[in-house]
Amino acid sequence: MELTDIRELHREKDVYIGKEITVGGWVRNNRDSKNFGFLVINDGTFFEPLQVVYGDGLENFQEICKINVGAAVVIRGTIVATPEAKQAFEMQAAEVIVEGPSTADYPLQKKRHSFEYLRTISHLRARTNTFQAVFRVRSLIAYAIHTFFMERGFVYVHTPLITSSDCEGAGEMFQVTTLDMNNVPKTEDGKVDYTQDFFGKPVNLTVSGQLDVETYAFAFKNVYTFGPTFRAENSNTTRHAAEFWMIEPEICFADLKDDMILAESMLKYVIRYVLENAPEEMAFFNQFVDKGLIERLQHVVNSDFGHVTYTEAIKILEKHNDEFDYKVFWGCDLQTEHERYLTEKEFKRPVFVTDYPKEIKAFYMKLNEDGKTVAAMDCLVPGIGEIIGGSQREDNLEILEKRMEELGLNKEDYQFYLDLRRYGSARHAGFGLGFERCVMYITGMGNIRDVIPFPRTVNNCDL
Amino acid sequence: MELTDIRELHREKDVYIGKEITVGGWVRNNRDSKNFGFLVINDGTFFEPLQVVYGDGLENFQEICKINVGAAVVIRGTIVATPEAKQAFEMQAAEVIVEGPSTADYPLQKKRHSFEYLRTISHLRARTNTFQAVFRVRSLIAYAIHTFFMERGFVYVHTPLITSSDCEGAGEMFQVTTLDMNNVPKTEDGKVDYTQDFFGKPVNLTVSGQLDVETYAFAFKNVYTFGPTFRAENSNTTRHAAEFWMIEPEICFADLKDDMILAESMLKYVIRYVLENAPEEMAFFNQFVDKGLIERLQHVVNSDFGHVTYTEAIKILEKHNDEFDYKVFWGCDLQTEHERYLTEKEFKRPVFVTDYPKEIKAFYMKLNEDGKTVAAMDCLVPGIGEIIGGSQREDNLEILEKRMEELGLNKEDYQFYLDLRRYGSARHAGFGLGFERCVMYITGMGNIRDVIPFPRTVNNCDL
């Protein structure tokens, strides 16, 4: 049976007016009167539904009147123009078949449900307007990111999830094992006998693919990862999940300036792509989730991002220390309140903060000539603060080894990484973009649990 | 500094002949004569390298002669046509700067290295011809798959990696924990106290996103996952890895026939995409890795795939039982030898085998009217056997519950899945494609360890 997507009807209305077609979808609403009624059908292909009029001329009219919200139906009918109604057209049903019924206690009745309630039915919530919009936009953002990099000749690298190295010494990792937890095998000296584990040693879920993907940047020049990463942080906030996706490009023969150009181009590309390809969803977010969203995003697309060094930023912020919970001083980590002040009040547009003190940044960042700061950059955007963090990488073997010694890192674990500086080292840089943070930013959704299909947080791992 | 990609030079030669440009890349070879020499440079943007001629007119001629293989260099020079040489053009160097030197003991000298040896230097092997080709094609296949589904309006869904459910009762899963393995907390009755674990219960790494993504198919009609999956199988073969990527589309208002049309279209699309977008890499595979590869793939693209029921296939195969190690009979699982016989000898093209006995297939597959077989399909291709496995799903609540009872599955664990049959059930179907198996098929590479950047297998988890 040939079904027509409701998306098609909306995108190519003129083609379908007067035509008989068949649609399959789910009932969002059913209002019946004495001798006719209206079904509102969503088939998942388009944000806007299709209104179907049915009359008592249909032999199963009584059955149709009783169709519950949530039922799956297949409807044959003619598309007619409705110039006086809110929607431009509707369908006049010639046949309504119930493919799969629903019940009166269907959990998604036609009323507003709280996000908290919907989180308890994560297998059904994508059937609501808000989550249909969120997860279609999430999908479009993912594709926009791939397309952005592919158009520029980047190679997509799948870095491993299970890893025996701890990228940034970040701690708080999940352990992966096949040992029997009820009866952990021990060696003679009482330690866990990892020779019996699947990989013969303790392994974890990755917190970042950066060090791995750097090895591929030295083969392909321009590469990126886009995959899941994990943090076992015991923090119950609206912005942290234990499992999330990350985008990490890495570019060779490139410095911090090139890195910032790449980040700015990528953000603008992705925002533009979503505004163009999901106008209905974005209008919905703008109206019901985050008023002013579209204007804010358009402003980002049309602005040249600002640039300020950390040292300059501290000078600016120190003048307003009375407005902050955390007082700033040279050497401190910037808090979200400081980041938002810079991007919203001072620059009134996205801004890159560069050249942070080496003490508050990772060991692999390139030491500047002042010996005190590193060639790092954070990209701050209005409404959220930091959305991207990146750096030029230390490409000098001696300086990198010295830095690792200062921090007490075990060089033996990083021989693969040091090899990149031994054999054909080159300027290179990269950044990380938390995918969910990007989805939150573009949709205006306030809780990371509402932009992940099945979110994983402390004490929460449903399905 | 503006660098020109070597890809650009090859794709737009005529634009660059006679022009002075700068390239950055790595030295693949350095041959010097008395008063001139040749550097072969690869910059990772293109499979073919650039030959650079340098003469003793350059002030650092002596230094250039000594550049080791693997060094990173930045070279300014003029592109000149070389109509009599193998390559169409070369660069005459005006300046050669060593960005990062290499050493005489660089592990990738200009000679053929075995795949086994290269596996021991997984952080460097992408710099060789073979692995540069493999991983560029891997990247292109990933993008082709996304593009195929996006062009058809599918929604990309990120199903979770950490899961508390065991999709197919597949067993052999990796456990994920934050408990101290040296000192596992126990409850009063001596069992592991999972209330102290991160998620408050035992959790695993997913073996399939199918059940999760089905919930999204009922919201968007057409969806797919593309993400990592895990198997803790203790099998040391050339086709199994503990961590691999999988593509799982799921389509509503669709039956097994629609499912096969989708699978056939997808495979053809992806093969065509790679042949068009990586002709140099494919020619290399065809010449050095798998003679006949391109012809075989073109045959797949140009064939209508065959169709045969399992029952018919058994009749065909039984006539040749003397040729098989494993004798076939109705009810047996097909082995690779049987699959290859069907696709290579009998059909001489890709073939779908359908309607398998329910006993050898998963609980969620739709029971056929005969009560004995299920609406399953496997897609077999010449040279490899099964590449895709799929099915129409059981959409009838009662039949599904009965099947779960027969198999002793705990219905409580599957309430979310049964809800899909309670509220708006609809015909639906889907399939799984092992991404690495697809990469092996298209590149002709024979070992799964050689198509994954950092492969994870029993006792092997480097980096």
Side-chain angles (χ1 to χ4, degrees):
Chain A
M1 174 185 14
E2 201 56 46
L3 298 180
T4 303
D5 285 351
I6 292 178
R7 180 178 196 84
E8 268 297 292
L9 296 182
H10 281 274
R11 289 277 187 255
E12 306 281 344
K13 328 188 202 331
D14 298 343
V15 175
Y16 288 98
I17 301 285
K19 284 218 175 114
E20 185 178 272
I21 55 158
T22 305
V23 298
W26 292 271
V27 173
R28 285 285 182 89
N29 195 16
N30 185 4
R31 284 179 296 131
D32 65 292
S33 205
K34 208 182 282 176
N35 49 4
F36 67 96
F38 297 100
L39 286 167
V40 177
I41 307 295
N42 179 293
D43 74 351
T45 63
F46 195 63
F47 187 71
E48 301 291 340
L50 172 68
Q51 175 160 288
V52 177
V53 193
Y54 58 93
D56 60 4
L58 298 174
E59 58 176 344
N60 61 341
F61 177 72
Q62 292 304 327
E63 184 201 359
I64 302 169
C65 291
K66 292 191 194 106
I67 293 176
N68 284 308
V69 172
V73 290
V74 174
I75 307 176
R76 184 168 54 82
T78 305
I79 301 298
V80 294
T82 51
E84 277 131 55
K86 206 175 62 175
Q87 71 280 3
F89 58 87
E90 64 186 18
M91 176 187 257
Q92 286 176 344
E95 185 183 35
V96 177
I97 299 168
V98 177
E99 168 109 5
S102 181
T103 59
D105 64 348
Y106 178 58
L108 294 170
Q109 292 303 317
K110 184 161 171 60
K111 62 164 191 168
R112 211 141 180 188
H113 298 284
S114 73
F115 290 166
E116 289 74 20
Y117 167 70
L118 293 172
R119 272 174 226 142
T120 67
I121 47 169
S122 55
H123 61 302
L124 300 175
R125 68 175 173 168
R127 302 178 183 195
T128 65
N129 276 338
T130 303
F131 289 96
Q132 186 136 122
V134 166
F135 291 111
R136 195 189 314 280
V137 167
R138 183 180 165 113
S139 169
L140 290 171
I141 295 174
Y143 188 63
I145 288 167
H146 282 302
T147 302
F148 173 83
F149 286 116
M150 283 291 162
E151 283 177 354
R152 282 154 189 77
F154 281 60
V155 170
Y156 177 28
V157 180
H158 292 101
T159 48
L161 285 285
I162 300 175
T163 171
S164 56
S165 71
D166 176 349
C167 167
E168 309 185 20
E172 313 249 305
M173 298 174 89
F174 289 104
Q175 188 166 356
V176 174
T177 183
T178 55
L179 294 177
D180 177 0
M181 299 284 287
N182 274 298
N183 191 9
V184 176
K186 298 279 170 80
T187 58
E188 279 181 16
D189 57 350
K191 289 191 178 145
V192 178
D193 182 5
Y194 281 111
T195 64
Q196 297 189 43
D197 208 347
F198 190 88
F199 294 108
K201 59 184 169 185
V203 297
N204 300 302
L205 290 176
T206 188
V207 297
S208 160
Q210 183 204 315
L211 302 197
D212 291 326
V213 88
E214 272 188 57
T215 69
Y216 271 65
F218 280 89
F220 290 108
K221 193 162 95 159
N222 294 328
V223 296
Y224 71 107
T225 70
F226 187 170
T229 46
F230 305 86
R231 297 277 160 92
E233 261 179 287
N234 199 334
S235 53
N236 213 339
T237 80
T238 57
R239 296 180 64 186
H240 290 89
E243 177 181 319
F244 55 99
W245 287 61
M246 201 129 80
I247 295 100
E248 296 176 286
E250 192 75 30
I251 49 179
C252 269
F253 295 101
D255 58 20
L256 191 67
K257 204 175 138 224
D258 300 309
D259 204 32
M260 291 189 282
I261 291 170
L262 183 70
E264 181 171 340
S265 315
M266 185 197 68
L267 273 185
K268 287 178 172 176
Y269 182 97
V270 171
I271 293 169
R272 220 179 275 125
Y273 186 91
V274 174
L275 289 172
E276 277 168 22
N277 286 279
E280 292 82 8
E281 285 81 356
M282 293 307 291
F284 173 85
F285 291 128
N286 195 54
Q287 191 176 352
F288 294 108
V289 174
D290 182 1
K291 289 194 201 314
L293 174 70
I294 291 181
E295 199 189 341
R296 200 163 66 238
L297 293 176
Q298 269 159 351
H299 179 60
V300 169
V301 168
N302 297 321
S303 303
D304 286 326
F305 290 15
H307 292 82
V308 64
T309 66
Y310 170 90
T311 302
E312 288 159 5
I314 291 293
K315 280 186 198 147
I316 293 166
L317 292 167
E318 273 176 336
K319 290 184 198 143
H320 305 274
N321 254 340
D322 52 334
E323 299 170 41
F324 299 133
D325 292 337
Y326 293 86
K327 309 304 164 197
V328 301
F329 54 91
W330 200 96
C332 77
D333 237 337
L334 295 185
Q335 305 293 325
T336 303
E337 60 176 336
H338 310 134
E339 293 172 345
R340 292 188 61 170
Y341 186 92
L342 286 170
T343 179
E344 291 168 17
K345 303 272 174 62
E346 183 72 20
F347 284 84
K348 297 186 176 63
R349 57 192 164 120
V351 60
F352 288 104
V353 180
T354 60
D355 305 297
Y356 285 77
K358 65 176 177 179
E359 285 77 15
I360 59 172
K361 289 290 182 184
F363 76 92
Y364 51 70
M365 298 190 177
K366 188 165 181 67
L367 193 64
N368 286 326
E369 285 185 3
D370 62 16
K372 293 191 299 185
T373 61
V374 288
M377 62 92 164
D378 280 359
C379 178
L380 316 180
V381 291
I384 199 162
E386 188 210 323
I387 192 165
I388 283 173
S391 71
Q392 188 171 342
R393 319 306 189 187
E394 185 54 73
D395 49 56
N396 180 294
L397 181 62
E398 278 173 48
I399 296 175
L400 183 59
E401 285 187 319
K402 187 158 160 265
R403 188 78 186 118
M404 291 175 73
E405 280 160 23
E406 280 171 18
L407 292 167
L409 294 172
N410 183 0
K411 277 193 281 181
E412 284 312 302
D413 297 341
Y414 294 88
Q415 285 309 313
F416 78 96
Y417 194 66
L418 296 171
D419 272 359
L420 306 180
R421 282 73 181 166
R422 284 188 187 107
Y423 309 122
S425 189
R427 279 160 294 156
H428 64 297
F431 63 80
L433 167 69
F435 180 60
E436 280 76 12
R437 205 160 279 189
C438 180
V439 177
M440 290 170 74
Y441 180 59
I442 292 178
T443 60
M445 296 294 287
N447 193 319
I448 197 167
R449 290 167 185 76
D450 297 330
V451 300
I452 300 179
F454 302 96
R456 274 75 181 95
T457 53
V458 185
N459 284 319
N460 177 26
C461 183
D462 288 337
L463 275 68
Chain B
M1 176 185 12
E2 201 56 47
L3 297 181
T4 302
D5 285 350
I6 291 177
R7 180 178 198 83
E8 269 296 293
L9 295 182
H10 283 273
R11 289 277 187 254
E12 308 280 345
K13 322 190 204 334
D14 299 344
V15 175
Y16 289 98
I17 301 284
K19 283 218 176 115
E20 185 177 273
I21 56 160
T22 305
V23 297
W26 292 271
V27 173
R28 285 285 182 89
N29 195 16
N30 187 3
R31 285 180 293 132
D32 65 294
S33 202
K34 208 184 282 179
N35 50 4
F36 66 97
F38 296 99
L39 286 166
V40 177
I41 306 297
N42 179 294
D43 74 351
T45 63
F46 196 62
F47 187 71
E48 302 290 341
L50 172 68
Q51 175 160 289
V52 178
V53 194
Y54 58 93
D56 59 4
L58 297 174
E59 59 176 344
N60 61 341
F61 177 72
Q62 291 305 328
E63 183 201 1
I64 302 170
C65 291
K66 292 191 193 107
I67 294 177
N68 284 307
V69 172
V73 290
V74 174
I75 306 178
R76 183 168 55 81
T78 304
I79 302 297
V80 294
T82 51
E84 278 130 56
K86 206 176 59 175
Q87 71 280 0
F89 57 87
E90 64 186 19
M91 177 187 257
Q92 287 176 344
E95 185 183 36
V96 177
I97 299 168
V98 177
E99 168 107 4
S102 181
T103 59
D105 65 348
Y106 179 57
L108 295 171
Q109 291 304 315
K110 183 158 174 59
K111 61 164 190 167
R112 213 140 180 189
H113 298 285
S114 74
F115 290 167
E116 289 74 18
Y117 167 69
L118 292 172
R119 272 175 225 142
T120 67
I121 46 170
S122 55
H123 61 300
L124 299 175
R125 67 175 173 168
R127 303 179 182 194
T128 65
N129 275 337
T130 304
F131 289 95
Q132 185 135 123
V134 166
F135 291 110
R136 195 190 315 279
V137 167
R138 182 180 166 115
S139 169
L140 289 171
I141 295 173
Y143 188 63
I145 289 167
H146 281 302
T147 302
F148 172 83
F149 286 116
M150 283 290 161
E151 283 178 354
R152 282 153 189 77
F154 281 60
V155 170
Y156 176 28
V157 181
H158 292 101
T159 49
L161 285 285
I162 300 175
T163 172
S164 56
S165 71
D166 176 348
C167 167
E168 310 186 21
E172 314 247 304
M173 297 173 87
F174 289 103
Q175 188 165 356
V176 175
T177 184
T178 54
L179 293 178
D180 178 359
M181 299 286 286
N182 273 299
N183 192 9
V184 176
K186 299 279 170 81
T187 59
E188 279 182 14
D189 57 352
K191 288 188 178 149
V192 178
D193 183 4
Y194 281 112
T195 64
Q196 296 188 43
D197 207 348
F198 190 86
F199 294 108
K201 58 183 169 186
V203 297
N204 300 302
L205 290 177
T206 189
V207 298
S208 161
Q210 183 203 314
L211 302 197
D212 291 327
V213 87
E214 271 188 57
T215 69
Y216 270 66
F218 280 88
F220 290 108
K221 194 162 92 158
N222 295 327
V223 296
Y224 72 108
T225 69
F226 187 170
T229 48
F230 305 85
R231 296 277 160 90
E233 261 180 287
N234 199 335
S235 54
N236 213 337
T237 79
T238 56
R239 296 179 64 187
H240 290 88
E243 177 180 320
F244 55 100
W245 286 62
M246 199 127 84
I247 295 100
E248 296 176 287
E250 191 75 28
I251 50 179
C252 270
F253 295 100
D255 58 19
L256 191 67
K257 204 175 137 223
D258 300 310
D259 204 31
M260 290 189 283
I261 291 169
L262 183 70
E264 181 172 340
S265 315
M266 185 197 68
L267 274 185
K268 288 178 173 175
Y269 183 96
V270 171
I271 293 170
R272 220 179 275 124
Y273 187 91
V274 174
L275 289 172
E276 276 168 23
N277 287 279
E280 292 81 8
E281 285 81 356
M282 293 307 291
F284 173 84
F285 291 129
N286 196 54
Q287 191 178 352
F288 294 109
V289 174
D290 182 1
K291 288 195 202 312
L293 175 70
I294 290 181
E295 199 189 341
R296 199 162 68 239
L297 293 175
Q298 269 161 350
H299 179 59
V300 170
V301 168
N302 296 320
S303 303
D304 285 328
F305 290 16
H307 292 84
V308 64
T309 66
Y310 170 89
T311 302
E312 288 160 6
I314 292 293
K315 281 185 195 147
I316 293 166
L317 292 168
E318 274 176 335
K319 292 183 196 143
H320 304 274
N321 254 339
D322 52 334
E323 300 169 41
F324 300 134
D325 291 337
Y326 292 87
K327 310 303 166 197
V328 301
F329 54 90
W330 199 96
C332 77
D333 237 337
L334 295 185
Q335 305 292 325
T336 304
E337 58 175 337
H338 310 133
E339 294 172 345
R340 292 188 61 170
Y341 186 92
L342 286 170
T343 180
E344 291 168 15
K345 302 271 171 66
E346 182 71 21
F347 284 85
K348 298 186 176 64
R349 57 194 163 120
V351 60
F352 288 104
V353 180
T354 61
D355 305 298
Y356 285 76
K358 66 176 176 179
E359 285 77 13
I360 58 172
K361 288 290 182 183
F363 77 93
Y364 49 71
M365 298 190 178
K366 188 164 182 66
L367 193 64
N368 285 327
E369 286 184 2
D370 62 16
K372 292 192 300 185
T373 60
V374 288
M377 62 92 163
D378 280 358
C379 179
L380 317 180
V381 290
I384 199 163
E386 186 210 323
I387 193 165
I388 283 174
S391 71
Q392 189 170 341
R393 320 305 191 185
E394 185 55 73
D395 49 58
N396 181 293
L397 181 62
E398 280 173 47
I399 298 176
L400 183 60
E401 285 186 320
K402 189 158 158 267
R403 188 77 188 119
M404 292 175 72
E405 280 161 22
E406 280 172 18
L407 293 168
L409 293 172
N410 183 1
K411 278 193 279 181
E412 284 312 303
D413 297 341
Y414 294 88
Q415 284 309 313
F416 78 96
Y417 194 65
L418 296 170
D419 272 359
L420 305 181
R421 281 75 182 166
R422 284 189 187 107
Y423 309 122
S425 189
R427 280 159 294 156
H428 64 297
F431 64 79
L433 168 69
F435 180 60
E436 280 76 11
R437 204 161 278 190
C438 180
V439 177
M440 289 170 74
Y441 181 59
I442 293 179
T443 60
M445 295 293 287
N447 194 318
I448 198 167
R449 290 167 185 78
D450 297 330
V451 302
I452 300 179
F454 301 95
R456 273 75 181 95
T457 54
V458 186
N459 284 318
N460 178 24
C461 183
D462 288 337
L463 273 69

